[in-house]
Amino acid sequence: MAGKKIVCRCNDVTVEEVEALIDSGITDIEELKRLLRIGMGPCQGRTCIPIVLGILARKTGKKQEDILLPKARVPTRPVRVEVIVGGADE
Amino acid sequence: MSKIAVIGGGIIGVATAYELAKLGEEVILLEKNYFGSGSTFRCATGIRAQFTDEANIRLMKHSVERWEKLEEELESDIVFRQTGYLFLATSEEEVEAFKANIKLQNKFGVPTRLIDMDEAKEIAPILNTEPFLAGAWNPKDGKANPFKTLFAYLFRAKGLGVDAREHTEVVGFEREGNAITTVKFRYNGRIERVRVDAVLNAANAWAPLINEMAGLKRNLVPITAYKHQLVKTEPLEPGQAEPLICPPSWNDAYIIQDGEDGGIICGAGIEHKARSLNDVEPTYDFLRGVLDYAVRIAPPLRYAHIVRQWAGFYAKTPDSNPAMGKLLDNFYIAAGFSGHGFMMAPAVAQAMAELISKGRSKVPLDWEWYDPYRFERGELRTSAFQIG
């Protein structure tokens, strides 16, 4: 991965991939999220979403605060299944 | 060349826009939110021909044949994988029912067979075989990536000249007699008009609102939005649970391993009537309920982490079969997919495009079975087997 600038550490997404999709006309962050799997890994977008917002603002000329954040999903941190179904202490 | 408006930027609308453009029609595609935002991007990715009635089996047999060629046709990796569907029986009565279904499926060329639990364990090593007597196994069923599939269709549609607009809400029609002449829509706060020769309502859960705008009764095609939720785990080693695995008698609970990242998607028939057409909030009772089933199907899942839960709509008709056909002289509908829109899309899009453009289709789609006026006549079909 030498020389590659990583945006999403969960799914190995690079700056180049984000820029290429925006250049192809996809500027909705919900769509970028689903095509690149940013914000869909165990970290839930803590690293990648702010970086992608910055790239999106720069490429589209919009203000960063005018771009809606993608929908956040529960749980905000990964939870072991046994915590939900019981039996974690067995 | 006719001008055709397609309303709804989910997989049915986008794929039909592409098929219409292929037939040389001029198409405008209107989506009020972002593409795929309704049901398509919330689906469980499954594709199957294992239905329990002739109409759906024949339609899905054709659809799977289209899926097999779709990557080549759309020149895009849509992560289509024929990893099968494995239904599991928990009683002798269910085994007999599986045998009857398998016989019907085999009659139409779907190669489902009954398997024992040793073979099931080979297919899905994570499986707990103890509660189950036998499996109905079709290795040609499968899954695909809904995000990549929708955009593969969309890029090709745009390449063929489709005017695809998102964040564009249809607000009304002008109608002369039994024909729609104009579609009115709002984009960036402004109302625009476009004259059309035909309109397809592909708005699924929102389709009754579009019918009402066309001057029809909102309940002519009764579609109710039920929240269908999914939960996904962190990535597991590929190959653990690649097929969709479902014991139908356990409230239609199922698991399926994402073909791309290896996370396990868990679903179940724990449904809530949506409070509104914006109500896609996940619920805790679903999370608890679906995981109880998931660890009974695959005990090692107990040690996996949940990374995400989300909800979408089963846009359900009273018999869980979609409504497809003509509502007015030039106003068509393909909606109410009851959870099966993604898997049916390649066949349905081709059939609807041919119907609209040529008045008939070579797709083996039983128009009478899916007739949108059947509800008004008080006719219901055999309820389509739901899942995945």
Side-chain angles (χ1 to χ4, degrees):
Chain A
M1 299 297 276
K4 286 195 176 170
K5 285 178 279 183
I6 298 291
V7 166
C8 162
R9 293 181 295 183
C10 300
N11 289 313
D12 275 348
V13 181
T14 65
V15 171
E16 289 74 19
E17 288 173 285
V18 177
E19 290 182 336
L21 259 191
I22 295 171
D23 288 341
S24 79
I26 294 177
T27 56
D28 191 302
I29 196 155
E30 293 281 2
E31 294 170 358
L32 290 170
K33 169 180 153 182
R34 287 168 173 86
L35 285 171
L36 293 167
R37 309 192 83 88
I38 53 165
M40 294 169 90
C43 97
Q44 293 281 29
R46 280 180 184 76
T47 306
C48 55
I49 296 296
I51 300 173
V52 172
L53 277 177
I55 299 171
L56 198 52
R58 174 167 53 79
K59 304 265 307 174
T60 60
K62 285 184 184 167
K63 286 186 193 157
Q64 205 162 315
E65 55 268 30
D66 291 342
I67 301 171
L68 287 176
L69 285 167
K71 176 84 179 164
R73 302 268 180 231
V74 289
T76 52
R77 284 166 196 273
V79 179
R80 249 171 114 113
V81 169
E82 62 186 353
V83 172
I84 311 286
V85 300
D89 301 327
E90 287 167 14
Chain B
M1 184 166 76
S2 304
K3 174 106 178 181
I4 297 158
V6 175
I7 301 169
I11 191 71
I12 297 291
V14 172
T16 307
Y18 161 75
E19 296 284 353
L20 282 165
K22 241 172 55 176
L23 294 172
E25 305 293 5
E26 185 184 352
V27 184
I28 180 166
L29 169 66
L30 303 161
E31 163 56 47
K32 77 173 164 54
N33 201 339
Y34 58 90
F35 289 116
S37 57
S39 297
T40 304
F41 282 1
R42 297 157 190 282
C43 82
T45 76
I47 296 161
R48 71 177 148 100
Q50 286 195 64
F51 276 81
T52 54
D53 62 89
E54 177 178 338
N56 283 304
I57 293 169
R58 292 183 68 210
L59 180 64
M60 275 312 303
K61 168 88 167 23
H62 181 80
S63 197
V64 170
E65 285 164 6
R66 293 283 330 256
W67 275 107
E68 286 170 345
K69 298 185 188 121
L70 214 50
E71 292 199 340
E72 195 182 337
E73 177 176 344
L74 300 177
E75 294 173 345
S76 187
D77 177 17
I78 57 172
V79 202
F80 173 64
R81 304 280 181 269
Q82 285 175 298
T83 45
Y85 261 56
L86 175 60
F87 288 107
L88 297 166
T90 55
S91 67
E92 288 299 342
E93 295 74 36
E94 229 180 343
V95 175
E96 291 308 309
F98 277 18
K99 284 181 185 166
N101 293 338
I102 289 170
K103 202 171 160 191
L104 186 64
Q105 289 158 16
N106 290 168
K107 187 176 156 192
F108 297 104
V110 176
T112 315
R113 59 191 175 85
L114 200 73
I115 63 169
D116 63 23
M117 294 317 294
D118 288 341
E119 190 171 354
K121 185 82 178 170
E122 276 172 35
I123 290 164
I126 205 171
L127 184 66
N128 172 25
T129 55
E130 192 269 326
F132 308 117
L133 302 178
W137 168 244
N138 176 15
K140 291 211 153 189
D141 289 339
K143 57 195 174 192
N145 180 315
F147 317 136
K148 291 188 170 173
T149 305
L150 185 137
F151 276 96
Y153 268 120
L154 186 65
F155 280 129
R156 291 301 303 267
K158 285 179 173 175
L160 292 171
V162 170
D163 179 4
R165 306 196 188 191
E166 56 188 337
H167 302 292
T168 303
E169 183 178 13
V170 170
V171 293
F173 299 107
E174 281 163 18
R175 187 174 143 179
E176 278 171 19
N178 270 334
I180 307 281
T181 56
T182 304
V183 179
K184 291 186 278 186
F185 55 87
R186 185 188 296 113
Y187 177 69
N188 256 347
R190 284 218 333 265
I191 302 291
E192 294 182 37
R193 287 176 150 74
V194 61
R195 283 194 68 82
V196 292
D197 300 304
V199 175
L200 170 65
N201 178 358
N204 212 24
W206 292 263
L209 307 178
I210 302 295
N211 284 347
E212 199 173 31
M213 286 178 203
L216 300 166
K217 279 185 291 186
R218 184 186 286 207
N219 238 10
L220 176 68
V221 180
I223 295 173
T224 311
Y226 284 94
K227 262 200 269 189
H228 183 72
Q229 301 180 56
L230 294 172
V231 167
K232 190 172 180 188
T233 72
E234 64 192 318
L236 302 192
E237 186 185 340
Q240 294 303 302
E242 295 287 357
L244 187 138
I245 303 168
C246 171
S249 63
W250 290 4
N251 200 3
D252 293 335
Y254 59 88
I255 61 170
I256 181 169
Q257 191 159 20
D258 187 301
E260 202 165 15
D261 75 2
I264 306 279
I265 299 169
C266 309
I270 306 164
E271 288 176 359
H272 300 268
K273 193 171 170 185
R275 291 190 303 274
S276 74
L277 287 170
N278 299 313
D279 174 20
V280 285
E281 280 306 308
T283 62
Y284 182 75
D285 72 309
F286 179 85
L287 178 66
R288 177 71 201 244
V290 77
L291 293 179
D292 276 338
Y293 289 122
V295 298
R296 283 161 66 196
I297 296 169
L301 283 182
R302 177 178 290 279
Y303 307 108
H305 286 85
I306 294 303
V307 292
R308 202 153 60 254
Q309 180 184 3
W310 69 95
F313 293 143
Y314 268 180
K316 254 194 195 182
T317 63
D319 56 18
S320 299
N321 285 285
M324 295 188 273
K326 193 191 265 198
L327 288 172
L328 295 169
D329 288 352
N330 67 347
F331 183 65
Y332 299 82
I333 187 168
F337 281 88
S338 310
H340 306 135
F342 181 61
M343 64 177 76
M344 288 180 172
V348 167
Q350 184 192 351
M352 290 308 303
E354 288 172 356
L355 178 72
I356 294 168
S357 184
K358 302 173 177 173
R360 63 187 187 288
S361 168
K362 52 183 184 296
V363 176
L365 188 149
D366 183 340
W367 296 102
E368 199 179 317
W369 181 269
Y370 299 108
D371 180 0
Y373 277 103
R374 69 184 182 273
F375 309 105
E376 194 181 50
R377 292 197 304 267
E379 288 173 24
L380 290 187
R381 307 303 180 218
T382 313
S383 192
F385 182 38
Q386 278 196 313
I387 319 270

